[in-house]
Amino acid sequence: MVFQLRVPSLYTRGISSSLRNLSTASLLLNSNKTVTEPLAKSELESIVLKQYSHGKFYSILQNAVALPSVLLTACQNLSIAANSSGSSSTELTDRVSRRFSIEEMGREIREGRFDIRSCCVGFERESLVLPNLKLKVLIEAIRMVLEIVYDDRFATFCYGGRVGMGRHTAIRYLKNSVENPRWWFRVSFAREMFFSDRNVDKLCGFVEEKISDGLLVEMIKKLFEFGILRIELGGCDKGRGFPQECGLSSILINVYFDRLDKEIQDMRLKMKLKNPHGVKGEEVNVFYKPVNIYAVRYLDEILLITSGSKMMTMELKKRVVDVLEERLDLRVDRVNTSIHSAVSEKISFLGMYLQAVPPSVLRPPMSEKAVRAMKKYERQKEVRRVELRNARERNRKTLGLKIFRHVLKKLKQSNGFKCEYEIENEVRDIFRTWGDEVMQEFMGSLEERWKWHWLLTRGDFLSLRHIREKLPQDLIDAYDEFQEQVDKHLSPTQAKKELDDEERRAEEEEEQRYAERTVQDLTKLCMKVSAPEELVRKAVKLVGFTNNMGRPRPISHLLALEDSDIIKWYAGVGRKWLDFFCCCHNYKMVKIIVSYHMRFSCILTLAEKHRSTKREAIRHYTKDLKVSDHYGKEELHFPLEREVKMMGDKNLSDPRPVDGTLSLLLIRLASDEPLHSCAASFCERSDTIMYRVYLLQNRLQINPLDEEKWVRGMGAIHSALNRKCLPLCSAHISDVYLGNMTFQDVDGSSFIDLK
């Protein structure tokens, strides 16, 4: 029996390996053909999944990454990131072929001859190494393949470097899913904790557990060796679009921390089994609070929350730190990795502050002043409604009299009223509608019903017995039926009872809502997310939007820019801030900074540039900061005041932080340099202008690691790029100012050192 079970398995294994070899051979044969179309996501998934066998992926660098169609898809991704409008597949193929041959590149990768060192661009004694466009295509192709291999296998609380799993998605999970948090801690790593050779070897070992490909592992090691791929834990340069961040960093960090995620998942499952929500057959207490463990990890930022005791949280912290130090060989800052009370202390996570508060803090009840204002508004609405009703009745009366006069006049002039069109039904519908509306208004008025009930029931002599005996029975029955209908429809006692019941029902509902709010405040805690107000104001002051007194001021470094570029730079910073903090409870503070401080700082900068007053600048540009393009058409880049007021957390767009746009300034050079092609990835325009890069930290002579002078948590572009020059076309310089494009979308070999 055992023999019969093993033979088919061996047979199947041989067939599967043979099919895999055949598919590999077919892919290699097809790789020599000229590719003109990039792959769809489903096609790429099918290519990668064909390399799966017996729980592993085999030779994905040769059989997937090296395919010209996969490389062309990587070129398309880079082109879309740098060119928001995109391009057709034929244009993309032509653009790529003018730079390098993807067929030859795929052959070099497949044969292990791809020279990574020749594709590296070093700055300032190799303190910064950037990839050229060819190497960026290879990195993007590897990232796409690794995403298909690992994305479905990551934990649900793993955010960053994944499609639809960014910062705002993590914040949404914390706001909607975390209940009754009591204790939490955030894992902090030692400063300047770079991946060492031991960490790289561990990372490659984790990759080899799922992927059997020696060439891929060797290529990852070379990227670390040449400085293209650098992972600094605890830094502020991940997920922000900085040029020093490699495209592979995010997914490799997730692969490295996947062991920790699995350990946390096991701890959460054991805690859920140990503390069930209820026992069958027993009455469940309405105030029962199960002990839960919540975890959120965005790349190397790790936050763990518990609803249990502090001792349990300390045990959880010890296990997490042990996994990081013993299994992952990382140095944890135990001083800053401390446990905090979720109720009494705020914690910084993903550039925002978190705190556990009662539900009434997030959704406060109306104050007495607001209630009075609402009642006043309701009274004003009632007065306007009565005025409209009276005007409508007056117009109806006038129109009805006109109709009757017209009909009567026609009847007197002729034997009958003749018309080409039948209007009898229309007139009947109009009068029926009027009558229904009048009856509804009448039945809704208690005073009118009381008055008519009194008129129809006074002098009730027909109710006397000696009179009823002398009258016909039909008349008495008709009178009794009439009185029943009057009491049924016009009785003020019944109407007053209905109104009293409605008022009492409204009071009971209000008391029930108040009781529920009180119980929730006493038994439930929610997550409050706030923007770091002091850090935002410090950044505003550091850049120069405001003076020491907090009032708007001009920025003199922007005077060399064109008017439209000045407005675009302010608009890019403002929109980035509004989009990033849209999920915060104190979002109104960010709106005030953008709508007032930044708007008037831009107006003052334009006024100082043209040596005019603030009023003259407002008269010319208006408060909406309108500017005309080369064709005289007005453009609006800065968000309107009404648009800012309407913004909220309804649509979370998951944008990058404002750091890159805020700390970067590009000044146009007046030089006779020969024309260069645009530095954006796969941009063919040669009508470029040379711009010099000025960085905020170099301009202010501040070290970004100095938290007293620099803004804590704000990243910075590598200082090696300061005063470097790069050519950009008009479309891409506009995207850089507006924050739609970062230096990650720029070819590293395009930077020029001009003195």
Side-chain angles (χ1 to χ4, degrees):
M1 188 67 180
V2 176
F3 180 76
Q4 291 177 354
L5 288 172
R6 287 182 178 177
V7 170
S9 63
L10 293 173
Y11 180 71
T12 306
R13 185 181 304 174
I15 290 178
S16 62
S17 60
S18 300
L19 290 175
R20 182 166 56 83
N21 293 332
L22 286 174
S23 63
T24 302
S26 63
L27 288 172
L28 293 177
L29 289 174
N30 294 332
S31 62
N32 296 324
K33 297 180 180 180
T34 304
V35 179
T36 59
E37 291 286 340
L39 297 174
K41 186 175 181 180
S42 58
E43 296 173 340
L44 181 60
E45 288 179 354
S46 64
I47 290 176
V48 176
L49 294 178
K50 283 180 181 178
Q51 316 310 318
Y52 183 78
S53 177
H54 303 93
K56 274 191 175 184
F57 290 86
Y58 291 88
S59 304
I60 62 172
L61 188 70
Q62 294 176 324
N63 302 334
V65 175
L67 294 179
S69 56
V70 177
L71 296 174
L72 186 62
T73 307
C75 296
Q76 184 188 41
N77 292 349
L78 296 176
S79 176
I80 291 176
N83 306 280
S84 57
S85 59
S87 59
S88 63
S89 57
T90 306
E91 293 178 355
L92 177 64
T93 306
D94 295 339
R95 291 180 179 183
V96 175
S97 60
R98 293 191 189 99
R99 288 169 170 82
F100 53 85
S101 171
I102 56 175
E103 289 81 6
E104 180 62 28
M105 178 181 175
R107 198 175 300 111
E108 292 176 357
I109 296 171
R110 195 163 46 250
E111 297 173 0
R113 297 185 294 104
F114 189 85
D115 189 4
I116 296 179
R117 184 182 292 275
S118 63
C119 299
C120 299
V121 182
F123 297 88
E124 290 189 2
R125 300 177 183 178
E126 304 298 326
S127 63
L128 174 65
V129 181
L130 298 181
N132 65 1
L133 191 56
K134 188 176 182 180
L135 183 55
K136 289 181 71 173
V137 171
L138 174 60
I139 291 173
E140 176 64 18
I142 297 175
R143 187 202 64 81
M144 293 189 309
V145 173
L146 292 181
E147 181 182 6
I148 296 174
V149 172
Y150 284 103
D151 194 62
D152 294 336
R153 295 170 173 82
F154 288 142
T156 56
F157 54 85
C158 169
Y159 297 89
R162 303 175 64 188
V163 178
M165 299 284 282
R167 288 180 176 86
H168 282 179
T169 315
I171 294 297
R172 187 188 296 116
Y173 166 75
L174 291 172
K175 293 172 67 175
N176 298 336
S177 301
V178 177
E179 295 182 356
N180 302 314
R182 294 190 60 188
W183 303 97
W184 53 24
F185 65 92
R186 178 173 176 260
V187 178
S188 298
F189 295 97
R191 174 166 289 188
E192 297 184 1
M193 172 61 194
F194 289 95
F195 262 34
S196 62
D197 294 339
R198 294 177 60 184
N199 299 121
V200 174
D201 292 338
K202 277 186 174 293
L203 173 62
C204 294
F206 295 154
V207 172
E208 288 176 337
E209 291 179 2
K210 200 65 187 174
I211 302 173
S212 178
D213 191 344
L215 288 178
L216 176 64
V217 172
E218 187 65 26
M219 187 164 290
I220 292 176
K221 289 183 178 180
K222 285 184 179 179
L223 290 175
F224 276 103
E225 178 186 351
F226 297 143
I228 295 292
L229 185 55
R230 299 178 67 190
I231 297 178
E232 178 188 2
L233 300 181
C236 301
D237 58 349
K238 288 177 285 298
R240 300 170 188 256
F242 292 156
Q244 62 263 29
E245 180 187 7
C246 180
L248 280 176
S249 298
S250 299
I251 192 165
L252 291 181
I253 289 175
N254 289 333
V255 172
Y256 197 81
F257 282 95
D258 191 54
R259 290 294 181 90
L260 175 65
D261 296 343
K262 296 294 188 294
E263 187 70 22
I264 295 174
Q265 276 185 332
D266 294 340
M267 289 187 283
R268 292 177 64 183
L269 181 59
K270 291 178 182 178
M271 186 60 63
K272 186 171 292 186
L273 295 175
K274 188 185 300 183
N275 298 276
H277 285 269
V279 182
K280 293 183 179 180
E282 296 183 4
E283 184 179 357
V284 180
N285 190 353
V286 71
F287 299 122
Y288 175 74
K289 298 180 181 178
V291 179
N292 291 321
I293 297 176
Y294 302 97
V296 174
R297 183 179 64 79
Y298 181 85
L299 298 180
D300 61 337
E301 294 190 56
I302 306 169
L303 176 67
L304 285 104
I305 308 170
T306 66
S307 58
S309 64
K310 188 173 183 179
M311 292 298 297
M312 188 201 76
T313 311
M314 292 174 65
E315 294 177 2
L316 174 65
K317 173 192 167 185
K318 183 178 181 303
R319 291 187 62 180
V320 170
V321 172
D322 290 343
V323 172
L324 290 172
E325 291 183 342
E326 296 176 4
R327 299 188 190 179
L328 301 183
D329 199 14
L330 300 175
R331 289 183 286 115
V332 178
D333 187 356
R334 292 178 177 267
V335 176
N336 292 323
T337 308
S338 56
I339 299 174
H340 300 273
S341 171
V343 179
S344 58
E345 298 178 81
K346 295 180 181 179
I347 193 168
S348 177
F349 185 66
L350 297 180
M352 306 173 198
Y353 284 151
L354 307 178
Q355 188 176 9
V357 296
S360 60
V361 176
L362 300 179
R363 294 173 291 275
M366 295 181 65
S367 62
E368 294 182 0
K369 183 178 180 180
V371 171
R372 290 196 301 270
M374 186 186 69
K375 290 182 178 179
K376 180 180 178 181
Y377 176 69
E378 292 294 336
R379 288 195 298 270
Q380 292 175 351
K381 284 178 61 178
E382 181 65 22
V383 170
R384 288 195 295 268
R385 189 177 66 82
V386 171
E387 291 176 353
L388 290 174
R389 183 185 64 187
N390 295 336
R392 188 165 59 248
E393 291 179 354
R394 186 171 58 252
N395 294 335
R396 285 175 180 173
K397 182 178 178 181
T398 304
L399 181 60
L401 290 175
K402 285 184 178 180
I403 293 175
F404 280 120
R405 290 196 193 101
H406 180 71
V407 172
L408 183 60
K409 180 179 178 182
K410 290 293 184 181
L411 289 174
K412 288 181 178 179
Q413 291 178 355
S414 61
N415 295 330
F417 183 74
K418 296 181 180 180
C419 182
E420 297 180 359
Y421 304 99
E422 295 291 337
I423 63 172
E424 180 180 358
N425 295 331
E426 286 78 359
V427 173
R428 184 181 291 109
D429 293 340
I430 292 174
F431 278 96
R432 184 186 298 111
T433 305
W434 289 351
D436 293 340
E437 292 180 0
V438 171
M439 285 301 300
Q440 289 179 1
E441 294 177 0
F442 170 76
M443 298 300 291
S445 175
L446 184 60
E447 296 179 358
E448 292 289 340
R449 293 172 66 175
W450 195 299
K451 175 183 176 181
W452 279 97
H453 186 274
W454 178 74
L455 291 174
L456 294 174
T457 56
R458 69 177 180 173
D460 192 6
F461 63 94
L462 290 180
S463 60
L464 300 176
R465 186 173 61 181
H466 63 279
I467 294 179
R468 293 170 67 93
E469 292 175 353
K470 298 178 182 180
L471 295 176
Q473 188 63 33
D474 295 341
L475 179 59
I476 294 173
D477 294 341
Y479 173 76
D480 292 340
E481 184 179 355
F482 175 73
Q483 288 297 325
E484 289 178 2
Q485 296 296 326
V486 169
D487 293 337
K488 178 180 178 182
H489 296 287
L490 301 178
S491 176
T493 306
Q494 183 179 357
K496 192 172 188 318
K497 183 179 179 181
E498 293 177 357
L499 293 176
D500 292 341
D501 292 341
E502 186 176 352
E503 292 179 359
R504 185 171 63 255
R505 196 181 305 112
E507 292 177 357
E508 291 176 355
E509 291 177 357
E510 181 62 29
E511 292 177 357
Q512 181 68 20
R513 286 194 295 267
Y514 176 76
E516 291 177 356
R517 288 199 303 266
T518 305
V519 171
Q520 284 186 350
D521 284 349
L522 295 174
T523 60
K524 186 178 179 181
L525 291 174
C526 300
M527 190 67 69
K528 176 186 175 183
V529 182
S530 305
E533 185 171 349
E534 66 279 4
L535 297 181
V536 174
R537 295 191 182 278
K538 184 178 180 180
V540 168
K541 183 178 177 181
L542 182 69
V543 177
F545 294 120
T546 59
N547 55 20
N548 294 329
M549 299 178 65
R551 295 176 180 173
R553 62 177 292 271
I555 299 179
S556 58
H557 297 281
L558 298 176
L559 300 181
L561 302 181
E562 299 289 338
D563 293 354
S564 59
D565 294 339
I566 293 175
I567 296 175
K568 288 176 183 178
W569 185 82
Y570 275 95
V573 175
R575 289 190 181 275
K576 284 279 187 180
W577 252 329
L578 289 171
D579 292 340
F580 186 75
F581 291 115
C582 68
C583 56
C584 296
H585 184 68
N586 58 344
Y587 189 41
K588 186 177 180 181
M589 177 270 300
V590 184
K591 290 182 178 181
I592 292 174
I593 289 177
V594 173
S595 188
Y596 172 66
H597 293 89
M598 294 186 60
R599 186 185 303 274
F600 280 92
S601 176
C602 182
I603 291 172
L604 292 173
T605 303
L606 293 170
E608 183 173 338
K609 176 186 176 181
H610 296 285
R611 297 180 181 179
S612 61
T613 62
K614 182 178 72 173
R615 290 188 177 181
E616 292 174 347
I618 293 176
R619 192 181 304 115
H620 180 76
Y621 297 100
T622 72
K623 284 188 177 181
D624 298 332
L625 295 173
K626 297 179 181 178
V627 66
S628 301
D629 59 4
H630 299 291
Y631 303 101
K633 184 180 178 181
E634 287 188 347
E635 294 180 344
L636 277 173
H637 302 287
F638 202 88
L640 303 176
E641 291 183 347
R642 181 178 298 179
E643 183 182 354
V644 172
K645 289 180 181 179
M646 297 297 293
M647 287 183 177
D649 61 347
K650 299 295 178 65
N651 297 317
L652 301 183
S653 55
D654 237 353
R656 286 171 174 168
V658 73
D659 307 4
T661 309
L662 192 66
S663 60
L664 174 65
L665 197 61
L666 295 177
I667 303 298
R668 178 175 179 174
L669 291 182
S671 63
D672 297 331
E673 285 292 318
L675 293 179
H676 300 272
S677 60
C678 183
S681 300
F682 298 107
C683 181
E684 290 292 309
R685 293 184 60 174
S686 58
D687 53 338
T688 58
I689 299 174
M690 194 67 66
Y691 292 87
R692 189 181 294 277
V693 177
Y694 288 93
L695 300 179
L696 180 65
Q697 66 269 23
N698 295 86
R699 196 172 77 231
L700 301 178
Q701 297 182 355
I702 298 176
N703 185 4
L705 298 178
D706 188 358
E707 294 185 354
E708 293 184 1
K709 297 181 179 180
W710 192 254
V711 181
R712 179 167 48 87
M714 189 174 85
I717 299 174
H718 200 285
S719 299
L721 296 179
N722 187 54
R723 298 189 64 82
K724 293 292 186 293
C725 300
L726 76 162
L728 290 171
C729 62
S730 58
H732 287 116
I733 187 62
S734 178
D735 289 339
V736 171
Y737 283 132
L738 291 173
N740 300 328
M741 174 180 158
T742 64
F743 275 2
Q744 270 191 338
D745 307 319
V746 171
D747 184 3
S749 61
S750 300
F751 288 96
I752 303 173
D753 195 0
L754 295 178
K755 301 299 183 183

